[in-house]
Amino acid sequence: MLAALVNFSIRFRGVVLMLAVVLMGYGIYKIFHAGLDIFPEFAPKLVTIQTEAPGLSSEQVEILVTQPIEQSLAGIIDLDYVRSESIQGLSIITAIFDEHTDVYRNRQLVSERLAGVIKDLPPGVEAPVPVPLASSSATVLTIGLTSDEYSLMEMRDLVDWTLVPGILSVEGVADVNVFGGDIRQLQIQLLPDQMKQYGISIQQIVDAARQSTGIYGAGFVESESQRITLRVQGQPVSGEELGSVVLQRKQGRNILLRDVADVKMAPAPPISAASIMGEPGIVMMVIGQYGANTLTVSRSVEKALSGFEPIFSERGIKLHSELFRPANYIEDSLKNITGHLMVGGMFVIVILLLFLFNLRTAMISAMAIPLSLLSAAILLLELGVNLNIMVLGGLAIALGEVVDDAIIDTENIFRRLRQNRSLANPQSPLEVVFNASMEVRGSVVYASFIVAIVFVPLLTLGGVAGRLFSPLGFSYILAILMSLLVALTITPALCYLFLVRSRLRDKDPPLIAMIKPWYGSLLRVLGRVPSVSIMASLLFCAVGLAILPRLGGQFLPDLREGHYIVHTTLLPGTSLVESIRVGNRLTEQFMDISSVRSVSQWAGRAERGADTYGSHYSEFEIDLKRGLSGREQQAVLNELREILGEFPGLLYEANTFLIERVDETISGYSSPVVINVYGNDLDYLDRKATEISALVRDIEGATDVQVRSPPATPMLDIRAQLDKLAFWGLRPVDVLSAVQTAYEGNIVSRISQGNRLYDVAVVLHANQRRDLHEVGDLPLRNSDNELVPLRNVADIRQTDGRYNVLHQGGQRVQTITANAEGRDIVGFLDEIRTRLHQEVSFQADTFPEFTGAAIGRHRHDRSLYSILFWWASLS
């Protein structure tokens, strides 16, 4: 078969060359129209479920919401494990499935289970919702808005009703997480003093607001020949109109809603805040769909944003369009790889000229490079594999290999043609080219397959390592096989066309002529004592294999993306205002670093956002000027950490986006070392977590050590006294509903203004919500129409609560995370293991487990060692 293929290529060389030209043209077209991503989809097959539970504390969320949902998921086919986090007002559950399952099937199975658990959840808890399916890299663009003329509420209206719908319409966008801004509500802000004066209860106000607002269908009137739709209007849609609603009539005088409450458009109780370059603003994270490529989606979103520029300029709103743009890293990487390929190709041509000393043979051999790489790229794209850094890396690694087959073939044809001309009865050129090509064909085929087989173990890696490195191995193997096909077809055809009628030197090229005597002498010496070369080779392999396990472990190199993400954590219970204030101080110092281009901050969490944190947590996007070297970027990171270390009581992490995403995928956290302590007693887990964190901080190189479920979150405990409730003729539900309405807000209905819908909420006045002492004055009304202050029927005291409660595998868990600076991560991990075993003891129902990214790295390093051993044995 190989002989027939080579013979066909030589005889029909014109057809073969025409096909090669078409192939190159089509390959260039496909490359320029292909999407590019940072990494392949490396995240496991998971489904994240979020359940809003307004007003519930983290312990209540754990027991009433998280546990029932976790139990409902038990027994799903191919479910590996479940981890969860319960924070104030929100339950987050992540179900991780076997990596060979279909993610859409998994979501369907989860949705079926969730449909049956809704009835088991407490009243007021919203239905569990799987968050939109996102790509592994998740964020494709972070943008922001600031304005000196428009308020945060007006900007949030623009974002929610104009900007976000426009971005979501872009193909490849899964979701937009919005941080900051004031969400507009028509609020009925209760005034307790006026309520006491008029004898009005909270429930009366809630009922009046619900009955006076809202949108209701009215049906139609149908005669014998016509149907007429009915529409009822006239409901209050503004604060002034709603304030005129009658609550009660006493002695001929109406008590209006505005007599006992301020009725106006006001911001909803915030769950997030944002700052851009130290100014209040709105930050938006554009999340890519599963399977979408970052570069294409980024450019599409930017094109959509350009359509909003007239609106922004007209209203005096500044758009920060590149707070974080991962596509910059892709473009820079593509530029660097292209440049390296060009330089590598030039080196190959120079070496070929030096050794072959013939321009035509050098160019024929060099043609294998673009043809092989473009053929491999076409196959990858046709197979549905998106181009990414790993795929391009595989093609770049293959650069030196793809030309080997063509060099061997071309050099042998060149040599045989030269020898044929010196013969008395020369053969026909076609026979010479064919025989010369077939003469080396066996060795070329064997060598190509051996080199390809070396990378086969990469395809067998499992977990995140497999998802990351398999495309690299696959693209490399394809490039090698395509180079073999080029050597079998195009190279013989080119040799016949350009070498048969050319002038061929009778002598060896000068460099070869100079090397031959030395090489010949060396071969004769080694031929006489072959044991020396064999022993030297075995010794060299043994030394290499002995050193290999001692090289340390690092799953990925330090990536330099021109961007850093900084996570900061203040004491649990810190307000959004304080988090932003501290963040603005940090931003000022960050901006003093000459290499920093922009800084943005968001605190808290976004609705449906992947990052679900409290008001004490902030994240900074720090974008650097483009073109910085790796050393300059590392210097910036060192300065950032130095600044962060100057703030007492501030816990922080600083890393690049890609390293953080890989770590978070492996362990659920953005740190490489994660220690989980399982047990039932939260107080005992807290003590052990504190003990372990102190131990880790004492280890050389330990940085960013944090306890992920910190105790001692400030809480105001309102405990209803049943005997006092009975004395005043009240029920526990009266206390619960009154407190929830006053401080969480009671959404009674919605109003429409044009095509926009806004919530109508009953809530305590903002001034009273800031004062803890006002809680006891909250009025409750009994069946005798008496107003009873809350303190008369409840014990109100400050205590310590919990910011969050973590579960993994259905068990409570306390988590400690850490990073290592200036030392090998696997060695750091081994030292923690040893000291933990020696210095910390646990009771019977409590045990620690290492589940962090360092464990994954260690496991993957062993797999990579096995690949290197395989490689060495074949070599």
Side-chain angles (χ1 to χ4, degrees), residues 1-31:
M1 188 179 71
L2 294 181
L5 184 60
V6 173
N7 187 50
F8 175 86
S9 302
I10 298 172
R11 290 184 178 276
F12 299 95
R13 49 196 172 274
V15 175
V16 171
L17 294 181
M18 183 184 68
L19 291 176
V21 171
V22 172
L23 179 69
M24 287 190 66
Y26 181 66
I28 293 171
Y29 170 81
K30 290 288 287 186
I31 290 291

PDB file of all heavy atoms in Angstrom, residues 1-31:
ATOM      1  N   MET A   1       0.827  -1.211   0.000  1.00  0.00           N
ATOM      2  CA  MET A   1       0.000   0.000   0.000  1.00  0.00           C
ATOM      3  C   MET A   1       0.862   1.262   0.000  1.00  0.00           C
ATOM      4  O   MET A   1       0.573   2.224  -0.705  1.00  0.00           O
ATOM      5  CB  MET A   1      -0.920   0.008   1.210  1.00  0.00           C
ATOM      6  CG  MET A   1      -1.929   1.135   1.172  1.00  0.00           C
ATOM      7  SD  MET A   1      -3.034   1.136   2.604  1.00  0.00           S
ATOM      8  CE  MET A   1      -1.906   1.657   3.883  1.00  0.00           C
ATOM      9  N   LEU A   2       1.939   1.240   0.809  1.00  0.00           N
ATOM     10  CA  LEU A   2       2.806   2.409   0.846  1.00  0.00           C
ATOM     11  C   LEU A   2       3.479   2.627  -0.510  1.00  0.00           C
ATOM     12  O   LEU A   2       3.619   3.771  -0.965  1.00  0.00           O
ATOM     13  CB  LEU A   2       3.867   2.230   1.941  1.00  0.00           C
ATOM     14  CG  LEU A   2       3.364   2.192   3.389  1.00  0.00           C
ATOM     15  CD1 LEU A   2       4.526   2.024   4.347  1.00  0.00           C
ATOM     16  CD2 LEU A   2       2.597   3.465   3.714  1.00  0.00           C
ATOM     17  N   ALA A   3       3.890   1.527  -1.137  1.00  0.00           N
ATOM     18  CA  ALA A   3       4.529   1.651  -2.453  1.00  0.00           C
ATOM     19  C   ALA A   3       3.566   2.248  -3.471  1.00  0.00           C
ATOM     20  O   ALA A   3       3.947   3.111  -4.278  1.00  0.00           O
ATOM     21  CB  ALA A   3       5.029   0.279  -2.914  1.00  0.00           C
ATOM     22  N   ALA A   4       2.314   1.802  -3.428  1.00  0.00           N
ATOM     23  CA  ALA A   4       1.315   2.332  -4.368  1.00  0.00           C
ATOM     24  C   ALA A   4       1.074   3.811  -4.122  1.00  0.00           C
ATOM     25  O   ALA A   4       0.931   4.604  -5.064  1.00  0.00           O
ATOM     26  CB  ALA A   4       0.014   1.546  -4.229  1.00  0.00           C
ATOM     27  N   LEU A   5       1.059   4.205  -2.848  1.00  0.00           N
ATOM     28  CA  LEU A   5       0.825   5.614  -2.519  1.00  0.00           C
ATOM     29  C   LEU A   5       1.987   6.477  -3.004  1.00  0.00           C
ATOM     30  O   LEU A   5       1.772   7.554  -3.592  1.00  0.00           O
ATOM     31  CB  LEU A   5       0.643   5.757  -1.014  1.00  0.00           C
ATOM     32  CG  LEU A   5       0.288   7.156  -0.487  1.00  0.00           C
ATOM     33  CD1 LEU A   5      -1.036   7.644  -1.079  1.00  0.00           C
ATOM     34  CD2 LEU A   5       0.216   7.143   1.040  1.00  0.00           C
ATOM     35  N   VAL A   6       3.218   6.032  -2.762  1.00  0.00           N
ATOM     36  CA  VAL A   6       4.382   6.798  -3.214  1.00  0.00           C
ATOM     37  C   VAL A   6       4.422   6.858  -4.737  1.00  0.00           C
ATOM     38  O   VAL A   6       4.694   7.915  -5.330  1.00  0.00           O
ATOM     39  CB  VAL A   6       5.673   6.169  -2.641  1.00  0.00           C
ATOM     40  CG1 VAL A   6       6.902   6.853  -3.243  1.00  0.00           C
ATOM     41  CG2 VAL A   6       5.700   6.259  -1.131  1.00  0.00           C
ATOM     42  N   ASN A   7       4.153   5.734  -5.380  1.00  0.00           N
ATOM     43  CA  ASN A   7       4.170   5.687  -6.845  1.00  0.00           C
ATOM     44  C   ASN A   7       3.109   6.611  -7.433  1.00  0.00           C
ATOM     45  O   ASN A   7       3.362   7.324  -8.408  1.00  0.00           O
ATOM     46  CB  ASN A   7       3.956   4.243  -7.306  1.00  0.00           C
ATOM     47  CG  ASN A   7       4.142   4.099  -8.803  1.00  0.00           C
ATOM     48  OD1 ASN A   7       5.138   4.547  -9.360  1.00  0.00           O
ATOM     49  ND2 ASN A   7       3.176   3.467  -9.469  1.00  0.00           N
ATOM     50  N   PHE A   8       1.915   6.606  -6.855  1.00  0.00           N
ATOM     51  CA  PHE A   8       0.851   7.496  -7.328  1.00  0.00           C
ATOM     52  C   PHE A   8       1.275   8.961  -7.183  1.00  0.00           C
ATOM     53  O   PHE A   8       1.040   9.778  -8.088  1.00  0.00           O
ATOM     54  CB  PHE A   8      -0.422   7.227  -6.527  1.00  0.00           C
ATOM     55  CG  PHE A   8      -1.556   8.170  -6.843  1.00  0.00           C
ATOM     56  CD1 PHE A   8      -2.419   7.904  -7.893  1.00  0.00           C
ATOM     57  CD2 PHE A   8      -1.743   9.338  -6.114  1.00  0.00           C
ATOM     58  CE1 PHE A   8      -3.454   8.774  -8.202  1.00  0.00           C
ATOM     59  CE2 PHE A   8      -2.776  10.211  -6.408  1.00  0.00           C
ATOM     60  CZ  PHE A   8      -3.636   9.932  -7.463  1.00  0.00           C
ATOM     61  N   SER A   9       1.886   9.299  -6.046  1.00  0.00           N
ATOM     62  CA  SER A   9       2.276  10.690  -5.799  1.00  0.00           C
ATOM     63  C   SER A   9       3.317  11.168  -6.794  1.00  0.00           C
ATOM     64  O   SER A   9       3.292  12.347  -7.206  1.00  0.00           O
ATOM     65  CB  SER A   9       2.820  10.829  -4.374  1.00  0.00           C
ATOM     66  OG  SER A   9       1.854  10.424  -3.423  1.00  0.00           O
ATOM     67  N   ILE A  10       4.234  10.283  -7.192  1.00  0.00           N
ATOM     68  CA  ILE A  10       5.260  10.694  -8.153  1.00  0.00           C
ATOM     69  C   ILE A  10       4.677  10.813  -9.554  1.00  0.00           C
ATOM     70  O   ILE A  10       4.947  11.780 -10.276  1.00  0.00           O
ATOM     71  CB  ILE A  10       6.433   9.692  -8.129  1.00  0.00           C
ATOM     72  CG1 ILE A  10       7.083   9.678  -6.734  1.00  0.00           C
ATOM     73  CG2 ILE A  10       7.471  10.058  -9.185  1.00  0.00           C
ATOM     74  CD1 ILE A  10       8.111   8.583  -6.565  1.00  0.00           C
ATOM     75  N   ARG A  11       3.879   9.841  -9.932  1.00  0.00           N
ATOM     76  CA  ARG A  11       3.321   9.849 -11.294  1.00  0.00           C
ATOM     77  C   ARG A  11       2.317  10.994 -11.479  1.00  0.00           C
ATOM     78  O   ARG A  11       2.279  11.631 -12.527  1.00  0.00           O
ATOM     79  CB  ARG A  11       2.656   8.505 -11.601  1.00  0.00           C
ATOM     80  CG  ARG A  11       3.642   7.367 -11.765  1.00  0.00           C
ATOM     81  CD  ARG A  11       2.947   6.079 -12.173  1.00  0.00           C
ATOM     82  NE  ARG A  11       3.901   5.005 -12.380  1.00  0.00           N
ATOM     83  CZ  ARG A  11       4.566   4.807 -13.512  1.00  0.00           C
ATOM     84  NH1 ARG A  11       4.370   5.620 -14.542  1.00  0.00           N
ATOM     85  NH2 ARG A  11       5.419   3.795 -13.627  1.00  0.00           N
ATOM     86  N   PHE A  12       1.493  11.234 -10.495  1.00  0.00           N
ATOM     87  CA  PHE A  12       0.480  12.295 -10.610  1.00  0.00           C
ATOM     88  C   PHE A  12       0.861  13.457  -9.691  1.00  0.00           C
ATOM     89  O   PHE A  12       0.077  13.922  -8.869  1.00  0.00           O
ATOM     90  CB  PHE A  12      -0.897  11.739 -10.237  1.00  0.00           C
ATOM     91  CG  PHE A  12      -1.352  10.622 -11.117  1.00  0.00           C
ATOM     92  CD1 PHE A  12      -1.137   9.293 -10.744  1.00  0.00           C
ATOM     93  CD2 PHE A  12      -1.955  10.882 -12.337  1.00  0.00           C
ATOM     94  CE1 PHE A  12      -1.546   8.256 -11.558  1.00  0.00           C
ATOM     95  CE2 PHE A  12      -2.370   9.841 -13.149  1.00  0.00           C
ATOM     96  CZ  PHE A  12      -2.165   8.516 -12.775  1.00  0.00           C
ATOM     97  N   ARG A  13       2.106  13.885  -9.846  1.00  0.00           N
ATOM     98  CA  ARG A  13       2.652  14.917  -8.974  1.00  0.00           C
ATOM     99  C   ARG A  13       1.905  16.245  -9.103  1.00  0.00           C
ATOM    100  O   ARG A  13       1.775  16.980  -8.136  1.00  0.00           O
ATOM    101  CB  ARG A  13       4.135  15.100  -9.264  1.00  0.00           C
ATOM    102  CG  ARG A  13       4.444  15.264 -10.739  1.00  0.00           C
ATOM    103  CD  ARG A  13       5.927  15.050 -11.029  1.00  0.00           C
ATOM    104  NE  ARG A  13       6.199  15.025 -12.472  1.00  0.00           N
ATOM    105  CZ  ARG A  13       6.119  13.961 -13.239  1.00  0.00           C
ATOM    106  NH1 ARG A  13       5.747  12.806 -12.689  1.00  0.00           N
ATOM    107  NH2 ARG A  13       6.383  14.009 -14.529  1.00  0.00           N
ATOM    108  N   GLY A  14       1.404  16.546 -10.277  1.00  0.00           N
ATOM    109  CA  GLY A  14       0.670  17.798 -10.449  1.00  0.00           C
ATOM    110  C   GLY A  14      -0.599  17.815  -9.619  1.00  0.00           C
ATOM    111  O   GLY A  14      -0.924  18.821  -8.971  1.00  0.00           O
ATOM    112  N   VAL A  15      -1.323  16.685  -9.634  1.00  0.00           N
ATOM    113  CA  VAL A  15      -2.552  16.589  -8.846  1.00  0.00           C
ATOM    114  C   VAL A  15      -2.244  16.676  -7.360  1.00  0.00           C
ATOM    115  O   VAL A  15      -2.923  17.387  -6.590  1.00  0.00           O
ATOM    116  CB  VAL A  15      -3.285  15.261  -9.162  1.00  0.00           C
ATOM    117  CG1 VAL A  15      -4.496  15.092  -8.253  1.00  0.00           C
ATOM    118  CG2 VAL A  15      -3.691  15.209 -10.620  1.00  0.00           C
ATOM    119  N   VAL A  16      -1.187  16.002  -6.935  1.00  0.00           N
ATOM    120  CA  VAL A  16      -0.814  16.006  -5.519  1.00  0.00           C
ATOM    121  C   VAL A  16      -0.443  17.414  -5.064  1.00  0.00           C
ATOM    122  O   VAL A  16      -0.870  17.869  -3.989  1.00  0.00           O
ATOM    123  CB  VAL A  16       0.350  15.023  -5.270  1.00  0.00           C
ATOM    124  CG1 VAL A  16       0.898  15.176  -3.850  1.00  0.00           C
ATOM    125  CG2 VAL A  16      -0.104  13.599  -5.511  1.00  0.00           C
ATOM    126  N   LEU A  17       0.332  18.115  -5.876  1.00  0.00           N
ATOM    127  CA  LEU A  17       0.736  19.473  -5.489  1.00  0.00           C
ATOM    128  C   LEU A  17      -0.453  20.428  -5.491  1.00  0.00           C
ATOM    129  O   LEU A  17      -0.542  21.327  -4.640  1.00  0.00           O
ATOM    130  CB  LEU A  17       1.818  19.979  -6.439  1.00  0.00           C
ATOM    131  CG  LEU A  17       3.160  19.238  -6.371  1.00  0.00           C
ATOM    132  CD1 LEU A  17       4.161  19.833  -7.340  1.00  0.00           C
ATOM    133  CD2 LEU A  17       3.720  19.275  -4.957  1.00  0.00           C
ATOM    134  N   MET A  18      -1.366  20.251  -6.428  1.00  0.00           N
ATOM    135  CA  MET A  18      -2.559  21.091  -6.440  1.00  0.00           C
ATOM    136  C   MET A  18      -3.389  20.862  -5.173  1.00  0.00           C
ATOM    137  O   MET A  18      -3.873  21.802  -4.543  1.00  0.00           O
ATOM    138  CB  MET A  18      -3.398  20.806  -7.674  1.00  0.00           C
ATOM    139  CG  MET A  18      -4.637  21.704  -7.793  1.00  0.00           C
ATOM    140  SD  MET A  18      -5.655  21.262  -9.215  1.00  0.00           S
ATOM    141  CE  MET A  18      -6.252  19.658  -8.694  1.00  0.00           C
ATOM    142  N   LEU A  19      -3.525  19.601  -4.768  1.00  0.00           N
ATOM    143  CA  LEU A  19      -4.255  19.286  -3.540  1.00  0.00           C
ATOM    144  C   LEU A  19      -3.551  19.870  -2.325  1.00  0.00           C
ATOM    145  O   LEU A  19      -4.196  20.325  -1.374  1.00  0.00           O
ATOM    146  CB  LEU A  19      -4.406  17.770  -3.396  1.00  0.00           C
ATOM    147  CG  LEU A  19      -5.330  17.075  -4.396  1.00  0.00           C
ATOM    148  CD1 LEU A  19      -5.296  15.555  -4.196  1.00  0.00           C
ATOM    149  CD2 LEU A  19      -6.762  17.582  -4.240  1.00  0.00           C
ATOM    150  N   ALA A  20      -2.219  19.866  -2.350  1.00  0.00           N
ATOM    151  CA  ALA A  20      -1.462  20.438  -1.241  1.00  0.00           C
ATOM    152  C   ALA A  20      -1.703  21.942  -1.131  1.00  0.00           C
ATOM    153  O   ALA A  20      -1.858  22.485  -0.024  1.00  0.00           O
ATOM    154  CB  ALA A  20       0.028  20.157  -1.417  1.00  0.00           C
ATOM    155  N   VAL A  21      -1.743  22.618  -2.290  1.00  0.00           N
ATOM    156  CA  VAL A  21      -2.012  24.066  -2.276  1.00  0.00           C
ATOM    157  C   VAL A  21      -3.419  24.342  -1.747  1.00  0.00           C
ATOM    158  O   VAL A  21      -3.634  25.255  -0.929  1.00  0.00           O
ATOM    159  CB  VAL A  21      -1.834  24.656  -3.694  1.00  0.00           C
ATOM    160  CG1 VAL A  21      -2.313  26.099  -3.733  1.00  0.00           C
ATOM    161  CG2 VAL A  21      -0.376  24.566  -4.115  1.00  0.00           C
ATOM    162  N   VAL A  22      -4.395  23.557  -2.203  1.00  0.00           N
ATOM    163  CA  VAL A  22      -5.770  23.709  -1.711  1.00  0.00           C
ATOM    164  C   VAL A  22      -5.831  23.454  -0.211  1.00  0.00           C
ATOM    165  O   VAL A  22      -6.501  24.180   0.545  1.00  0.00           O
ATOM    166  CB  VAL A  22      -6.716  22.749  -2.466  1.00  0.00           C
ATOM    167  CG1 VAL A  22      -8.107  22.756  -1.827  1.00  0.00           C
ATOM    168  CG2 VAL A  22      -6.803  23.143  -3.927  1.00  0.00           C
ATOM    169  N   LEU A  23      -5.114  22.425   0.230  1.00  0.00           N
ATOM    170  CA  LEU A  23      -5.087  22.100   1.656  1.00  0.00           C
ATOM    171  C   LEU A  23      -4.525  23.259   2.476  1.00  0.00           C
ATOM    172  O   LEU A  23      -5.071  23.615   3.525  1.00  0.00           O
ATOM    173  CB  LEU A  23      -4.252  20.837   1.874  1.00  0.00           C
ATOM    174  CG  LEU A  23      -4.111  20.380   3.338  1.00  0.00           C
ATOM    175  CD1 LEU A  23      -5.443  19.864   3.864  1.00  0.00           C
ATOM    176  CD2 LEU A  23      -3.047  19.292   3.457  1.00  0.00           C
ATOM    177  N   MET A  24      -3.452  23.856   2.008  1.00  0.00           N
ATOM    178  CA  MET A  24      -2.857  24.979   2.741  1.00  0.00           C
ATOM    179  C   MET A  24      -3.810  26.172   2.772  1.00  0.00           C
ATOM    180  O   MET A  24      -3.977  26.829   3.802  1.00  0.00           O
ATOM    181  CB  MET A  24      -1.526  25.383   2.095  1.00  0.00           C
ATOM    182  CG  MET A  24      -0.403  24.396   2.351  1.00  0.00           C
ATOM    183  SD  MET A  24       1.217  25.026   1.842  1.00  0.00           S
ATOM    184  CE  MET A  24       1.443  26.383   2.968  1.00  0.00           C
ATOM    185  N   GLY A  25      -4.450  26.457   1.650  1.00  0.00           N
ATOM    186  CA  GLY A  25      -5.396  27.566   1.616  1.00  0.00           C
ATOM    187  C   GLY A  25      -6.568  27.348   2.547  1.00  0.00           C
ATOM    188  O   GLY A  25      -6.966  28.253   3.294  1.00  0.00           O
ATOM    189  N   TYR A  26      -7.112  26.118   2.509  1.00  0.00           N
ATOM    190  CA  TYR A  26      -8.250  25.804   3.384  1.00  0.00           C
ATOM    191  C   TYR A  26      -7.826  25.835   4.853  1.00  0.00           C
ATOM    192  O   TYR A  26      -8.573  26.308   5.713  1.00  0.00           O
ATOM    193  CB  TYR A  26      -8.793  24.426   3.030  1.00  0.00           C
ATOM    194  CG  TYR A  26      -9.995  24.010   3.849  1.00  0.00           C
ATOM    195  CD1 TYR A  26     -11.207  24.685   3.747  1.00  0.00           C
ATOM    196  CD2 TYR A  26      -9.909  22.934   4.728  1.00  0.00           C
ATOM    197  CE1 TYR A  26     -12.303  24.296   4.511  1.00  0.00           C
ATOM    198  CE2 TYR A  26     -11.004  22.539   5.483  1.00  0.00           C
ATOM    199  CZ  TYR A  26     -12.198  23.226   5.372  1.00  0.00           C
ATOM    200  OH  TYR A  26     -13.273  22.847   6.131  1.00  0.00           O
ATOM    201  N   GLY A  27      -6.615  25.349   5.136  1.00  0.00           N
ATOM    202  CA  GLY A  27      -6.125  25.366   6.511  1.00  0.00           C
ATOM    203  C   GLY A  27      -5.964  26.782   7.037  1.00  0.00           C
ATOM    204  O   GLY A  27      -6.339  27.072   8.185  1.00  0.00           O
ATOM    205  N   ILE A  28      -5.415  27.666   6.218  1.00  0.00           N
ATOM    206  CA  ILE A  28      -5.253  29.062   6.642  1.00  0.00           C
ATOM    207  C   ILE A  28      -6.615  29.701   6.879  1.00  0.00           C
ATOM    208  O   ILE A  28      -6.825  30.432   7.862  1.00  0.00           O
ATOM    209  CB  ILE A  28      -4.446  29.844   5.586  1.00  0.00           C
ATOM    210  CG1 ILE A  28      -3.005  29.316   5.528  1.00  0.00           C
ATOM    211  CG2 ILE A  28      -4.462  31.338   5.889  1.00  0.00           C
ATOM    212  CD1 ILE A  28      -2.191  29.861   4.378  1.00  0.00           C
ATOM    213  N   TYR A  29      -7.576  29.410   5.998  1.00  0.00           N
ATOM    214  CA  TYR A  29      -8.931  29.942   6.171  1.00  0.00           C
ATOM    215  C   TYR A  29      -9.542  29.453   7.488  1.00  0.00           C
ATOM    216  O   TYR A  29     -10.118  30.236   8.255  1.00  0.00           O
ATOM    217  CB  TYR A  29      -9.798  29.516   4.988  1.00  0.00           C
ATOM    218  CG  TYR A  29     -11.271  29.801   5.174  1.00  0.00           C
ATOM    219  CD1 TYR A  29     -11.791  31.073   4.936  1.00  0.00           C
ATOM    220  CD2 TYR A  29     -12.144  28.793   5.597  1.00  0.00           C
ATOM    221  CE1 TYR A  29     -13.145  31.334   5.114  1.00  0.00           C
ATOM    222  CE2 TYR A  29     -13.493  29.042   5.777  1.00  0.00           C
ATOM    223  CZ  TYR A  29     -13.988  30.318   5.535  1.00  0.00           C
ATOM    224  OH  TYR A  29     -15.329  30.573   5.725  1.00  0.00           O
ATOM    225  N   LYS A  30      -9.418  28.147   7.766  1.00  0.00           N
ATOM    226  CA  LYS A  30      -9.989  27.591   8.996  1.00  0.00           C
ATOM    227  C   LYS A  30      -9.334  28.173  10.241  1.00  0.00           C
ATOM    228  O   LYS A  30     -10.012  28.459  11.237  1.00  0.00           O
ATOM    229  CB  LYS A  30      -9.829  26.062   8.991  1.00  0.00           C
ATOM    230  CG  LYS A  30     -10.688  25.337   7.978  1.00  0.00           C
ATOM    231  CD  LYS A  30     -12.154  25.344   8.374  1.00  0.00           C
ATOM    232  CE  LYS A  30     -12.434  24.418   9.521  1.00  0.00           C
ATOM    233  NZ  LYS A  30     -13.876  24.314   9.828  1.00  0.00           N
ATOM    234  N   ILE A  31      -8.021  28.362  10.180  1.00  0.00           N
ATOM    235  CA  ILE A  31      -7.314  28.911  11.341  1.00  0.00           C
ATOM    236  C   ILE A  31      -7.787  30.319  11.642  1.00  0.00           C
ATOM    237  O   ILE A  31      -8.047  30.685  12.805  1.00  0.00           O
ATOM    238  CB  ILE A  31      -5.793  28.902  11.094  1.00  0.00           C
ATOM    239  CG1 ILE A  31      -5.259  27.473  11.097  1.00  0.00           C
ATOM    240  CG2 ILE A  31      -5.076  29.734  12.154  1.00  0.00           C
ATOM    241  CD1 ILE A  31      -5.290  26.790  12.436  1.00  0.00           C
TER     242      ILE A  31
END
